[in-house]
Amino acid sequence: MSKTITTIILLLAIISTSNGQTEDIPKGYAIVVGAYAKSNVDYAVKFTQHVSDLGYEARFGLNERRSLIYVYVDHTASFKEALIKMKEMREKDNFSDTWVHVKTSEPRLTLTPEQQEKAKKTTEVMQKEVVSSLGDIYADRFDEKEETEKESNSENKEAQTVKSESIQEIIKEQAVVTAQEEEIKEEKDDRLNVWFKLRNSTNHEKVLGELQLIDTERSKLMDVIESGEHAPINDPKNGSGQITVIVDVFGYRKQQKEFNYYDPYTAVTNADIDSTENGPVITFDLVRYAKGDIATMYNVFYFKDAAVMRPESKYELNSLLKMMEENQNLKIMIHGHVNGKHAGPIVSREGDNFFSLPQNSTKGFGSAKELSKQRAETIKDYLVKNGIAEDRMDITAWGGKRMLHDKHSTKAKQNVRVEVEILED
């Protein structure tokens, strides 16, 4: 059976079993709590119901690019807000593998008369290949009528007619979807390929990181892509063709540039663009933090009530380490913050156990300031273990004295953070 037929049948199955919950994963950032293969629709439905029973507004949608069904609980247009919600979910039981999925939806295509004719021709070509497969799939559906047809020739003809009409309907739907897929493929093939190169302005070493593509006219996020390779960019269809690119990589000052989708080489923008046979190249020379800068480590996460970091914190932590190694004159202050001012349980770090929480870890008790202090010390100790002199780092523990939001607000998780201040450069 072809991949497209499988997709159609899967979507029909989802619609029939989800009681209206299914939908495309919406544009923006989805907080995914589970993923299932296309063949495991029943499991996706059951898990969605389980998450709903826990009090969340759970939904699931098909990620066609990865051929997976994602179960998700929320979505937002803000990347930072998505990270905060992801962290909140990870602190819940059974949701430790939650992650943020970037989704930039496109509207469904309407077939033109030419495409409809193409779909008709596709139907004729596919009919012989599809009928046998569909006959097997829908055999159970007509068992009762086929039993009856043994008793009555007239009923036999009626059953065959119903079965044939059902098969023809599926074939027509298959042809429409095939034409849409081909049209989307052609549209994607016409996209502008841009290479976004990030490099350290001091030593010109390559820097890896994410870039946000913004529709300049509408101030809306188009996509989030990785640096270091030619990336296909969709037409913003905003009239001017202007696209803003924002780079916010920890360890470097935030930068943004603009380029024109329709005329990338000669349009007046603030981006110097080089030409290659594969498309334009836009280079960002990233500048390290300087004295007085304060940066939040948005991708450093801790286990609940603990001074132990989660494994996904390693990347940003190692970015800080690299920055300290590059400039031996650099001195920093590590600021620890938590949500709320009340005392509570604290799981202290044991030795060099920076990224894993022992199963039989012992909970102590202490103030909010003590927890923020231990968390800042964890970062300092990690840097010392990796060769950074201890006298290049100081610590300030704020507890909950400098919260960004009310501790009961929906954004309260932003209060739990570590900030790095550059004291000397």
Side-chain angles (χ1 to χ4, degrees), residues 351-371:
D352 294 337
N353 193 21
F354 295 103
F355 301 105
S356 61
L357 197 63
Q359 291 184 350
N360 299 320
S361 56
T362 303
K363 282 190 177 182
F365 193 86
S367 64
K369 184 175 182 179
E370 175 62 22
L371 177 59

Side-chain angles (χ1 to χ4, degrees), residues 58-76:
R59 298 178 180 272
F60 63 89
L62 181 62
N63 180 354
E64 293 183 348
R65 180 180 297 178
R66 296 194 176 184
S67 297
L68 292 173
I69 302 171
Y70 282 173
V71 179
Y72 64 100
V73 297
D74 208 344
H75 68 275
T76 175

Side-chain angles (χ1 to χ4, degrees), residues 3-13 170 173-175 177:
K3 178 180 177 182
T4 309
I5 296 173
T6 305
T7 302
I8 295 172
I9 295 170
L10 171 67
L11 292 176
L12 291 173
I170 297 298
E173 186 174 358
Q174 154 69 22
V177 173

